[in-house]
Amino acid sequence: MPEEDLKFSTAEVNLVLHATEDGNKVLQSIHDVLSVPLERFSVSPSEGHYKNKILLLKAILSSQEAGELARRIMSLLNSSDREHLSSSLPEYSDEKGNLYLRLDKQRIVQGKVSLSEADAIRIRFRPVKRYRPSGNLESYRGLLSSTE
């Protein structure tokens, strides 16, 4: 399945802002590095594990924006992150073919994109085609290799 056939219905970007972080700086960095429109973020105040104040941010992107974001992330990842993602794609997707990426929030603030498990910007890409989720993995591999 060629990479152009890979279409997402939406992408959802989620992150947690801690009271110690400069929220404007983090959001501006996400906008600058990943081109996520600032006005898409909704903010929900919440409480962290130790009763500290946190903000939950969420942005929903359209189909076209989701595709652009996926291509942008893949082109900005370094070769070892791309290789890791390609070799362990099943761990980054679910039975519905959703693709889950976690990007290092601090590295984004530094203008770089890398995969991370801790303090991450979580992104879920929902594919348009659901009838063959296994085909999505091949499409994701195509997306990874097309940006090298």
Side-chain angles (χ1 to χ4, degrees):
M1 191 158 141
E3 181 249 333
E4 323 47 268
D5 287 351
L6 180 61
K7 298 229 184 321
F8 297 105
S9 59
T10 62
E12 187 177 301
V13 181
N14 289 285
L15 67 140
V16 174
L17 276 181
H18 300 274
T20 55
E21 294 177 299
D22 180 343
N24 291 333
K25 183 177 180 182
V26 172
L27 279 175
Q28 190 61 52
S29 299
I30 292 170
H31 173 70
D32 294 346
V33 176
L34 301 178
S35 299
V36 176
L38 295 174
E39 64 275 7
R40 289 295 168 75
F41 281 98
S42 60
V43 181
S44 307
S46 191
E47 215 171 65
H49 189 65
Y50 299 104
K51 305 279 184 227
N52 50 319
K53 298 226 177 294
I54 59 172
L55 296 175
L56 304 175
L57 281 76
K58 177 181 182 166
I60 307 279
L61 303 181
S62 70
S63 175
Q64 182 183 345
E65 290 167 327
E68 289 167 6
L69 177 61
R71 284 186 285 282
R72 186 169 185 89
I73 290 170
M74 297 310 167
S75 71
L76 293 170
L77 282 174
N78 65 34
S79 56
S80 67
D81 270 348
R82 273 205 305 268
E83 212 168 280
H84 168 73
L85 195 54
S86 184
S87 65
S88 42
L89 264 175
E91 297 167 33
Y92 289 91
S93 59
D94 64 17
E95 69 285 348
K96 293 182 180 150
N98 290 312
L99 176 65
Y100 295 89
L101 296 180
R102 291 171 180 263
L103 304 178
D104 187 313
K105 187 178 14 165
Q106 301 312 319
R107 299 263 304 156
I108 295 264
V109 170
Q110 296 164 2
K112 298 184 174 70
V113 176
S114 61
L115 299 176
S116 173
E117 289 302 312
D119 195 23
I121 296 168
R122 297 182 319 279
I123 306 172
R124 176 176 63 180
F125 293 97
R126 286 190 166 148
V128 169
K129 298 178 180 173
R130 296 212 178 240
Y131 54 85
R132 222 180 93 234
S134 61
N136 287 332
L137 292 183
E138 288 314 307
S139 298
Y140 298 154
R141 278 199 184 88
L143 179 64
L144 283 162
S145 60
S146 72
T147 54
E148 287 174 7

